[in-house]
Amino acid sequence: MNETWAVVHAEREALIRDLETVPPERWTTPSLCPGWDVHDVVAHLADDAKTTRLSFLLRLAAARFDFDRYNNAGVVRERAGEPRRTLASFRAASRRTTGAPAPRATRLVEAFVHGEDIRRPLGLSRDYPVKHVAAALRYQLSAGVALGGGKERARGVRLMASDTAVDVGEGPEVRGTALALLLAASGRPVGPDELTGPGVPALTRDGGLHHG
């Protein structure tokens, strides 16, 4: 548990440092998360960092148990008029260890996938800890799309990481870094050369992406 939170805190801090150099006008850049720009994703991360078990349950009920509605309400709640204020809110909550009643690995998924949702459109990059990216990938492959996972997307293919010991599934092979596989399993676009193998079309077809 402590190791997971140490990674999450390090990733939040790294993203905050990156965002401090991004001019306000670039916060309107569309993210990899459909319908959300960079500012929206940062607001979501701030909201997620502040979430407690109780607040999650109450707000999910208020959203009629619709996860997209729940997440969009969080963006509205945390998105300030100016990017620097949203970033300040995220910074203030970045060391928290609260969260929704979900497996701890979801914290890793949030950190890595949303980090790339923001960085890639802005032309930024980061070397993520591959051991923990692999843990996030394994979790995504066990969780259904309706819960923000990628189990259905990866059904019928074999995912093989080129940078760590991940070899999951049966069917046509898909090879790539653990990060590229994680993004694809999460319904995000990846570069044309990031994944190879006969299973790529099946993995990257539209899988009904959910926010979060």
Side-chain angles (χ1 to χ4, degrees):
M1 181 185 300
N2 290 338
E3 183 179 13
T4 297
W5 280 117
V7 173
V8 170
H9 291 159
E11 292 306 320
R12 288 173 178 170
E13 291 167 7
L15 184 59
I16 289 166
R17 288 195 301 271
D18 282 349
L19 288 167
E20 287 172 340
T21 67
V22 176
E25 61 271 16
R26 297 208 64 201
W27 282 58
T28 60
T29 301
S31 77
L32 298 187
C33 205
W36 282 2
D37 62 17
V38 166
H39 199 165
D40 291 328
V41 180
V42 178
H44 169 71
L45 288 171
D47 182 67
D48 184 65
K50 295 178 180 181
T51 297
T52 65
R53 294 173 68 90
L54 179 58
S55 70
F56 171 80
L57 294 172
L58 291 174
R59 288 169 177 170
L60 184 61
R64 290 174 284 178
F65 300 96
D66 182 310
F67 282 99
D68 284 343
R69 185 180 290 118
Y70 166 87
N71 284 320
N72 285 324
V75 169
V76 171
R77 187 164 49 246
E78 288 296 328
R79 179 170 170 147
E82 299 177 359
R84 62 182 178 84
R85 290 172 52 204
T86 305
L87 186 59
S89 177
F90 182 33
R91 183 185 295 109
S94 64
R95 302 295 297 181
R96 292 184 59 144
T97 58
T98 56
R104 196 70 60 185
T106 61
R107 305 299 90 212
L108 298 174
V109 174
E110 288 274 312
F112 301 139
V113 175
H114 286 320
E116 289 299 279
D117 282 342
I118 291 168
R119 286 189 172 99
R120 289 188 173 215
L122 294 176
L124 303 173
S125 63
R126 176 167 171 77
D127 291 327
Y128 298 94
V130 68
K131 167 187 172 183
H132 298 288
V133 174
L137 173 59
R138 291 189 182 95
Y139 173 78
Q140 283 297 78
L141 298 177
S142 71
V145 169
L147 296 177
K151 185 176 182 178
E152 294 87 345
R153 293 189 188 97
R155 184 175 292 139
V157 296
R158 180 183 180 185
L159 305 188
M160 305 176 70
S162 59
D163 54 351
T164 189
V166 173
D167 186 339
V168 181
E170 296 181 358
E173 294 180 2
V174 182
R175 294 178 179 269
T177 65
L179 180 63
L181 294 172
L182 172 63
L183 292 175
S186 301
R188 269 51 170 190
V190 296
D193 300 324
E194 289 189 84
L195 298 176
T196 61
V200 171
L203 177 65
T204 58
R205 67 180 178 270
D206 181 17
L209 187 144
H210 286 243
H211 289 134

